[in-house]
Amino acid sequence: MATESGPEETKVSDRGMVTIPAALRQRLDIEAGDKLRWTVDDGDLSVEVLHQREGVFDDFEPVDAGETDAVALESEFGAE
């Protein structure tokens, strides 16, 4: 993959680690905690960004489910 200014190269460390260039991190919105999925197809390496953001449900409103009895619910579903 290349940035608008051209191809990017990085070096693999002796521990197998690679630094993603800042320009690519910004362009692809890669942040700490995100995961990368690596696949190889006919010798070509592909990387897919899996955004793993904390607080993804922060915009949801809580729902009042009323009182529940966890013991009764467990027996209803056959949990022991």
Side-chain angles (χ1 to χ4, degrees):
M1 178 174 198
T3 62
E4 292 176 11
S5 61
E8 294 277 353
E9 291 185 3
T10 58
K11 184 177 178 181
V12 180
S13 75
D14 57 351
R15 294 180 48 202
M17 297 168 50
V18 177
T19 300
I20 303 168
L24 288 175
R25 290 194 314 267
Q26 292 169 354
R27 182 174 176 191
L28 298 173
D29 192 29
I30 299 173
E31 294 182 356
D34 288 345
K35 294 182 180 183
L36 301 177
R37 179 177 292 151
W38 305 79
T39 56
V40 178
D41 185 25
D42 292 328
D44 292 326
L45 175 65
S46 297
V47 181
E48 178 183 0
V49 179
L50 306 173
H51 295 286
Q52 301 287 320
R53 305 300 161 90
E54 293 183 29
V56 294
F57 295 107
D58 288 347
D59 293 338
F60 287 88
E61 294 294 324
V63 175
D64 183 4
E67 286 190 37
T68 60
D69 183 350
V71 174
L73 290 174
E74 281 184 356
S75 62
E76 184 178 323
F77 290 103
E80 296 177 19

